[in-house]
Amino acid sequence: MTPTPLAAPLAAHVVAIVGAGLVGSGWALVFARAGVRVQVYDPVAEVRAGILPWARESAAALAAAGLIEDIEAVIGRLHVFDTLAEALDGATYVQESVFERVEVKTDICRAIDALMAPDTIVGSSSSGIPASRFTEGCVHRGRFLIAHPVNPPHLAPVVELVPAPWTDADALEGARELMQAAGQVPVTLTREIDGFILNRLQGALLNEAWALYDEGYASLADIDATISHGLGLRWAFMGPFETIDLNAPGGIVDYAARLGGMYHAMAQGRTPRAWPQETIRRAGEERRAALPEAELAARRAWRDKALTGLAAFKKASGLAP
């Protein structure tokens, strides 16, 4: 098949999903509900067999929340293939979501590169490894970039688009337009940085959370409650800059004048270090006491149900993208 021009309507496109674990399967649902034909490939037969049952269950949850209307139409757009070549046939866009190791991504990107059409765009779900580390040897390297979602992507719409030094400008713009048309919220970086934006922000919070726990200031549950019942309530619909802009009478400049020194002093008092192994062990014991390992999958399903409800609320409140 000949790939559809990027300027064509969304429904005329074909999107290939390569790697269909937790992230890849979510991506498949993102594009299928947007009206796109989706061609899915995973090298593991068991994973391939589970894609459609999972998608049907997830689509039913979205329909119950009023986020999609026709479950059968969504499922009908999903096509699972046994080979990479079949999945890539006619694809305008490829979302790669394989295991996050440089050597694994290098191998799959070279395999995609050998089969793709010259104008196809390839986005990688890498959560922190820049594309320059695994696409340099590709013939079509200008068509590769990072397209990093929040997990699960069908419920958390932000996606970081990060170009490699050689990514074509039209490939970056094409990926952005496709994501917007599919209902995602693209965040475009001007250049590469390890961890991108999302995980650098999350990492700063995690580093402080581990330090507070390691030093015995509070339990894991109480630190988590500070976010889930405090900061997280605002962060569900506004970011840190808008938050502080509203938290001082004169806005963001006033806030910086009042509290910038305090934050600087706190940062100066911290020396970055690796998360202590003994502290990690204690944290693991505390979490497993609160949630046994056998119940992790059920809790993930609970999380997804809560995110579905939050997505429905944001849509009804005019806060959705």
Side-chain angles (χ1 to χ4, degrees):
M1 288 166 48
T2 301
T4 302
L6 288 174
L10 184 63
H13 287 272
V14 174
V15 169
I17 304 296
V18 179
L22 292 174
V23 175
S25 57
W27 270 123
L29 197 52
V30 164
F31 291 109
R33 74 180 177 195
V36 180
R37 176 183 170 88
V38 180
Q39 300 178 169
V40 187
Y41 167 73
D42 191 283
V44 180
E46 183 179 1
V47 173
R48 293 197 299 271
I51 292 169
L52 292 180
W54 174 88
R56 183 174 293 278
E57 182 179 349
S58 299
L62 292 173
L67 296 173
I68 62 172
E69 295 181 359
D70 191 337
I71 296 173
E72 293 307 318
V74 171
I75 301 304
R77 298 185 192 107
L78 293 172
H79 306 272
V80 182
F81 293 97
D82 294 337
T83 68
L84 179 62
E86 291 174 301
L88 294 182
D89 186 24
T92 300
Y93 179 79
V94 180
Q95 185 68 44
E96 171 271 302
S97 301
V98 302
F99 194 57
E100 189 144 348
R101 292 288 185 272
V102 170
E103 61 276 15
V104 176
K105 288 195 174 290
T106 298
D107 289 345
I108 196 62
C109 285
R110 288 179 177 173
I112 293 170
D113 184 50
L115 294 167
M116 64 186 275
D119 291 336
T120 298
I121 299 171
V122 183
S124 171
S125 295
S126 170
S127 61
I129 306 171
S132 60
R133 296 190 190 167
F134 52 84
T135 66
E136 184 174 9
C138 294
V139 174
H140 305 103
R141 68 180 190 173
R143 311 307 293 172
F144 287 76
L145 69 150
I146 297 299
H148 169 233
V150 174
N151 189 27
H154 66 291
L155 296 175
V158 78
V159 51
E160 297 181 289
L161 303 178
V162 191
W166 43 76
T167 301
D168 297 338
D170 71 307
L172 180 62
E173 183 57 28
R176 183 178 179 88
E177 291 176 359
L178 182 65
M179 292 298 173
Q180 286 179 320
Q184 301 301 95
V185 178
V187 173
T188 304
L189 277 68
T190 59
R191 61 188 185 277
E192 292 184 331
I193 183 172
D194 285 357
F196 318 134
I197 291 177
L198 189 146
N199 276 321
R200 293 185 78 88
L201 292 173
Q202 181 171 234
L205 180 62
L206 281 172
N207 285 336
E208 183 61 26
W210 277 110
L212 291 169
Y213 177 69
D214 179 54
E215 294 165 9
Y217 285 105
S219 67
L220 294 182
D222 282 350
I223 293 171
D224 277 356
T226 304
I227 302 301
S228 61
H229 299 291
L231 293 173
L233 295 178
R234 293 184 300 216
W235 289 349
F237 56 89
M238 65 174 61
F241 288 122
E242 185 175 4
T243 294
I244 66 173
D245 194 37
L246 300 181
N247 277 358
I252 190 169
V253 173
D254 185 21
Y255 187 96
R258 292 167 182 259
L259 297 175
M262 178 190 74
Y263 287 114
H264 178 69
M266 287 192 295
Q268 292 291 102
R270 284 284 183 221
T271 300
R273 60 191 177 107
W275 300 346
Q277 288 301 310
E278 174 58 23
T279 303
I280 294 172
R281 184 194 63 76
R282 288 193 295 109
E285 290 179 353
E286 193 169 325
R287 281 303 303 157
R288 294 293 68 82
L291 181 71
E293 186 173 355
E295 298 177 18
L296 280 169
R299 188 64 171 176
R300 290 189 191 102
W302 170 88
R303 176 202 64 189
D304 289 356
K305 182 178 180 180
L307 283 172
T308 301
L310 179 59
F313 169 78
K314 292 183 73 170
K315 179 180 179 181
S317 302
L319 297 170

